[in-house]
């Protein structure tokens, strides 16, 4: 519910007004400050708890902070300045959902900081000899003279992951600060380094199962409490699965009233009965939010604008409708259950671990962990020659770009257990560069503050101290989380296997959204971009998947990813980040 921006160098002070104007939906109040060769800007909603009320001005020091710390503090700017200036051990417990910028006038040095897991974002670029930074990409497009140019290598990665991983974004010259990192701009040079890194350190005391359960239960409860800012009532996105249901338990134990919101896919709903069962057990009002192809299609261009980066998972459309419903009901803070899979060995872990254990039994199909992981996204990995035009194929760069992103995690010698390597990759990529930033963008689109308690620094650190058998126990995933919630939720909720949110994307893109798909991905659009082969996309539009794919859902996943990329390019390249109306 807030955002920052700024510059270091010879820039017009008026640029801050334009950059703050680009994110008008992030607040009703603004503040700017200028000093020789530097400017900071801040936009926020007045009267919201836990937020800074202005940019901090303290002698030669200026500091702007978007977001909140965990646990909350009266003024995040003062707390962040104290910790950043002290460094070292002062950063060991720094947590929350924040992005900060500190100008040290004595040293002529700018320091940028992003929260440990990347709920809040920070982009930066050097243009015309000036360093600019901002919470959103569209703010940088407000810089005079900056022309957006596509980065084919970044798009190549998007088409594998359904999001753009790493420091790069799909526009040349723009980078983002990675989660858990600090960036320093001094004497014309920018450098960055992590202040937070997860490492495996198995605690022998947690080999005792009751001890481990008590530890995790206490930390989960504390993680939720650390993200409450005195609100008597909050909203919760409830799926009916164990993660969001667990957050509901701990919110209720904290004495907070909770209003649950769940998606209604009609006859395609998967966990409707479970969501109602949890709401009844915890005595929470439950609102069903209708999510149809027509509803999602009507907002797709606004969604692409608010997401700021291309995110190719079809769940973003229904989540956009959830945010709208929560805001219309009068809420300003919403919790979700994201993070359980990444912290406690969720659904990606079982196939990856099975491949690691049994892969060597079959000499004719040796596969590296990176290969299996990349294919698990089910987008276009391995289909590049069929999808890309020769011209685009030549622009995306050489091989190994995607694997190199995985090797620090899947190949880390510092993490002995393979399960924890997979979890670290999931946290660093799927969590920090996909799930969290898109959730924050969608929430802020509706003036909501997104709270993601399971992505908690102390909880995550403790999860890497657990013996792997307490996370993936035979075929039972998230075993420790289930044990922690046993007795607090019905057994059929706790021990039910994960189904996930089944968005009927294929039904939508081949049904009510088919005209929109044709407008975004038809021959005229494809020829204009020159990136994708018409025959491949046409087969998808006709409902024809790959011969070796047995799940019809893959058609919808692929078409949605391509459509959101095209929608994003129309907004951020053709339209220079300006909002577009309608669906085309």
């Amino acid at each position: 519910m807030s955002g920052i921006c700024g510059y270091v160098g010879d820039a017009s002070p008026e640029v801050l007004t334009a950059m703050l104007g680009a994110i008008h939906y992030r607040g009703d109040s603004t503040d700017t400050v200028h000093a020789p060769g530097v400017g900071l800007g801040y936009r926020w909603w007045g009267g919201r708890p836990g937020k800074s009320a202005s940019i901090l001005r303290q002698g030669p020091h200026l500091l702007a902070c978007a977001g909140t710390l965990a646990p909350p503090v009266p003024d995040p700017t003062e707390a962040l300045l104290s910790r950043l200036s002290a460094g070292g051990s002062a950063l060991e417990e720094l947590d929350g959902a924040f992005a900060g910028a500190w100008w040290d006038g004595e040293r002529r040095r700018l320091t940028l900081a992003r929260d440990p897991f990347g709920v809040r974002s920070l982009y930066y670029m050097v243009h015309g000899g000036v360093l600019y930074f901002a919470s959103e990409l569209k703010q940088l497009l407000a810089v005079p003279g900056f022309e957006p140019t596509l980065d084919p290598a970044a798009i190549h990665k998007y088409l594998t992951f359904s999001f753009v991983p790493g420091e790069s974004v799909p526009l040349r010259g723009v980078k983002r600060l990675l989660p858990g990192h600090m960036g320093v701009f001094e004497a014309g040079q920018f450098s960055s380094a992590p202040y937070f890194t997860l490492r495996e350190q198995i605690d022998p005391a947690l080999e005792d199962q009751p001890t481990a359960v008590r530890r995790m239960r206490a930390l989960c409860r504390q993680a939720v409490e650390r993200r409450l800012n005195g609100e008597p009532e909050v909203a919760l996105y409830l799926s009916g699965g164990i993660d969001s249901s667990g957050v509901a338990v701990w919110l209720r134990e904290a004495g907070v009233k909770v209003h649950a919101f769940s998606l209604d896919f009609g006859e395609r709903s998967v966990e409707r009965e479970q969501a109602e069962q949890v709401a009844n057990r915890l005595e929470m009002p439950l609102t069903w939010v209708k999510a149809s192809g027509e509803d999602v299609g009507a907002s797709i261009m606004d969604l692409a604008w608010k997401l700021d980066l291309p995110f190719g998972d079809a769940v973003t459309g229904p989540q956009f409708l959830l945010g709208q419903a929560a805001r219309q009901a009068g809420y300003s803070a919403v919790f979700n259950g994201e993070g359980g899979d990444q912290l406690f060995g969720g659904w990606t872990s079982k196939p990856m671990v099975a491949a690691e254990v049994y892969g060597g039994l079959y000499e004719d199909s040796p596969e590296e962990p990176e290969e299996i992981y990349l294919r698990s996204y089910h987008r276009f990995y391995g289909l590049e020659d069929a999808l890309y035009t020769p011209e685009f194929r030549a622009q995306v760069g050489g091989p190994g770009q995607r694997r190199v992103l995985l090797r620090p995690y899947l190949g880390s010698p510092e993490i002995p257990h393979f399960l924890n390597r997979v979890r670290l990759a999931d946290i660093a990529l799927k969590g920090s560069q996909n799930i969290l930033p898109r959730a924050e963008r969608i929430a802020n689109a509706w003036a909501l503050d997104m709270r993601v308690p399971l992505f908690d620094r102390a909880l995550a650190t403790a999860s890497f101290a657990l013996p792997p058998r307490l996370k993936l126990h035979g075929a039972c995933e998230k075993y420790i989380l289930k044990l922690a919630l046993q007795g607090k939720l019905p057994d059929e909720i706790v021990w039910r296997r994960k189904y996930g949110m089944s968005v009927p994307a294929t039904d939508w893109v081949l049904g009510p959204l088919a005209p929109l798909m044709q407008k975004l991905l038809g021959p005229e659009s494809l020829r204009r971009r020159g990136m994708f082969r018409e025959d491949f996309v046409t087969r998808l539009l006709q409902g024809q998947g790959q011969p070796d794919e047995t799940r019809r859902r893959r058609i919808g996943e692929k078409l949605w990813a391509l459509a959101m990329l095209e929608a994003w390019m129309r907004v951020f390249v053709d339209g220079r980040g300006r909002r577009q109306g309608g669906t085309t």
Side-chain angles (χ1 to χ4, degrees):
M1 296 189 301
S2 53
I4 62 173
C5 60
Y7 65 85
V8 177
D10 186 14
S12 170
E14 296 177 356
V15 72
L16 294 182
T17 301
M19 295 173 79
L20 292 174
I23 55 167
H24 61 84
Y25 50 85
R26 282 187 177 262
D28 57 7
S29 305
T30 62
D31 187 19
T32 59
V33 61
H34 303 276
V38 64
L40 301 183
Y42 174 45
R43 177 180 283 277
W44 75 102
W45 288 100
R48 300 283 180 92
K51 299 287 190 298
S52 301
S54 65
I55 297 172
L56 178 67
R57 300 156 171 86
Q58 192 176 99
H61 302 288
L62 307 172
L63 195 144
C65 179
T68 56
L69 303 186
V73 295
D75 187 345
T77 59
E78 292 184 357
L80 195 56
L81 177 59
S82 174
R83 296 191 183 195
L84 292 179
S85 58
S89 61
L91 302 175
E92 290 179 358
E93 296 183 0
L94 183 59
D95 199 8
F98 64 87
W102 165 35
W103 173 251
D104 183 341
E106 292 179 331
R107 295 181 174 85
R108 303 290 300 174
R109 179 175 67 191
L110 176 73
T111 300
L112 302 178
R114 192 175 172 198
D115 64 73
F117 295 103
V119 180
R120 294 282 181 159
S121 298
L122 267 180
Y123 303 93
Y124 64 93
M125 70 176 185
V126 175
H127 176 69
V130 179
L131 176 88
Y132 296 92
F133 65 89
S135 292
E136 292 202 21
L137 181 62
K138 60 178 67 70
Q139 294 175 271
L140 296 182
L141 292 174
V143 173
F146 176 65
E147 294 295 330
T149 304
L150 286 174
D151 183 347
I155 294 174
H156 176 54
K157 297 184 183 79
Y158 165 84
L159 293 164
T160 289
F161 294 95
S162 80
F163 58 93
V164 182
E167 293 181 308
S168 298
V169 302
L171 296 182
R172 293 187 187 275
V174 180
K175 290 189 175 183
R176 60 186 159 189
L177 188 66
L178 291 175
H181 277 60
M182 290 197 301
V184 174
F185 185 69
E186 189 173 19
Q189 299 295 318
F190 189 92
S191 62
S192 66
Y195 67 85
F196 169 65
T197 304
L198 281 170
R199 293 183 175 86
E200 178 181 315
Q201 294 179 319
I202 304 299
D203 184 350
L206 299 182
E207 293 284 353
D208 178 66
Q209 185 169 294
T211 299
V213 171
R214 287 193 296 271
R215 176 84 61 85
M216 290 303 110
R217 186 181 290 148
L219 286 171
C220 286
R221 186 185 301 115
Q222 291 168 17
V224 169
E225 292 173 349
R226 282 158 51 90
R227 282 156 182 82
L228 289 168
N229 286 319
E231 301 93 346
E233 186 171 3
V234 298
L236 169 71
Y237 295 159
L238 180 67
S239 69
I242 191 168
D243 303 332
S244 59
S245 300
V247 172
V249 166
W250 293 310
L251 281 169
R252 297 294 284 134
E253 289 183 349
V256 178
K257 293 181 180 179
V258 182
H259 187 151
F261 292 81
S262 296
L263 287 166
D264 180 5
F265 295 114
E267 62 181 16
R268 296 299 304 273
S269 297
V270 174
E271 296 182 312
R272 184 183 183 99
E273 180 182 341
Q274 288 71 30
E276 290 177 341
Q277 190 174 5
V278 172
N280 290 334
R281 172 71 173 260
L282 300 177
E283 300 181 335
M284 302 182 300
L286 173 61
T287 295
W288 288 100
V289 180
K290 178 175 171 287
S292 68
E294 293 85 351
D295 297 324
V296 169
S299 60
I300 194 168
M301 296 307 295
D302 197 35
L303 173 63
W305 180 57
K306 295 287 180 57
L307 281 173
D308 209 46
L309 286 178
F311 289 95
D313 192 326
V315 74
T316 55
Q319 286 177 337
F320 197 66
L321 301 177
L322 268 182
Q324 182 182 36
R327 186 60 185 149
Q328 289 177 343
Y331 292 95
S332 61
V334 60
F335 282 73
N336 71 18
E338 300 284 13
D341 287 334
Q342 289 74 32
L343 261 61
F344 299 112
W347 64 275
T348 57
S349 299
K350 287 196 288 188
M352 286 290 294
V353 172
E356 174 74 4
V357 173
Y358 299 113
L361 298 179
Y362 304 97
E363 295 181 0
D364 59 338
S365 59
E367 289 187 309
E368 296 180 0
E370 292 91 347
E371 179 81 12
I372 300 170
Y373 193 89
L374 290 169
R375 284 195 290 105
S376 74
Y377 285 89
H378 300 292
R379 292 311 189 272
F380 300 99
Y381 183 74
L383 300 175
E384 296 85 357
D385 290 339
L387 173 64
Y388 297 175
T389 63
E391 295 78 12
F392 183 65
R393 189 75 174 91
Q395 295 172 11
V396 301
Q401 302 175 53
R402 295 164 294 187
R403 290 172 180 261
V404 74
L405 294 168
L406 301 174
R407 283 175 186 149
Y409 314 114
L410 297 181
S412 174
E414 298 179 359
I415 303 178
H417 292 94
F418 185 72
L419 172 61
N420 281 339
R421 296 182 187 181
V422 176
R423 292 174 52 241
L424 190 59
D426 278 352
I427 291 170
L429 295 173
K430 290 183 180 179
S432 294
Q433 300 184 45
N434 179 30
I435 293 172
L436 289 177
R438 81 185 185 204
E440 190 271 344
R441 310 270 173 69
I442 292 173
N444 271 270
W446 299 109
L448 293 167
D449 192 13
M450 188 78 248
R451 312 282 174 81
V452 195
L454 295 185
F455 278 102
D456 176 83
R457 182 169 179 169
L459 178 60
T461 300
S463 77
F464 275 81
L466 286 168
R469 63 177 176 80
L470 290 179
K471 294 182 283 286
L472 187 58
H473 191 75
C476 182
E477 57 194 20
K478 297 187 279 192
Y479 184 58
I480 187 72
L481 187 60
K482 293 175 184 290
L483 292 173
L485 288 167
Q486 192 172 24
K488 297 178 180 293
L489 291 168
D491 282 351
E492 51 268 37
I493 299 295
V494 173
W495 298 106
R496 181 173 180 265
R497 72 178 180 89
K498 181 181 176 68
Y499 282 84
M501 186 177 293
S502 184
V503 179
T506 300
D507 290 347
W508 289 351
V509 298
L510 299 181
L513 294 186
L516 174 59
M517 294 296 109
Q518 286 290 342
K519 290 178 181 179
L520 292 172
L521 301 173
E524 181 180 347
S525 178
L526 294 178
R527 284 194 292 269
R528 184 163 65 96
R529 298 293 179 201
M531 296 164 62
F532 306 133
R533 293 179 181 269
E534 289 184 34
D535 57 344
F536 185 95
V537 179
T538 298
R539 286 196 300 272
L540 285 177
L541 291 170
Q542 294 172 346
Q544 301 175 29
Q546 296 303 112
D548 60 343
E549 288 181 340
T550 59
R551 294 189 177 184
R552 183 171 175 267
R553 62 181 291 184
R554 305 303 180 203
I555 297 171
E557 291 170 348
K558 289 180 170 62
L559 279 174
W560 182 271
L562 292 175
M564 286 304 295
L565 176 62
E566 174 61 27
W568 180 86
M569 289 189 291
R570 292 189 183 192
V571 173
F572 285 86
V573 179
D574 305 342
R576 290 184 51 83
R578 291 185 293 271
R579 183 179 192 174
Q580 297 188 10
T583 57
T584 60

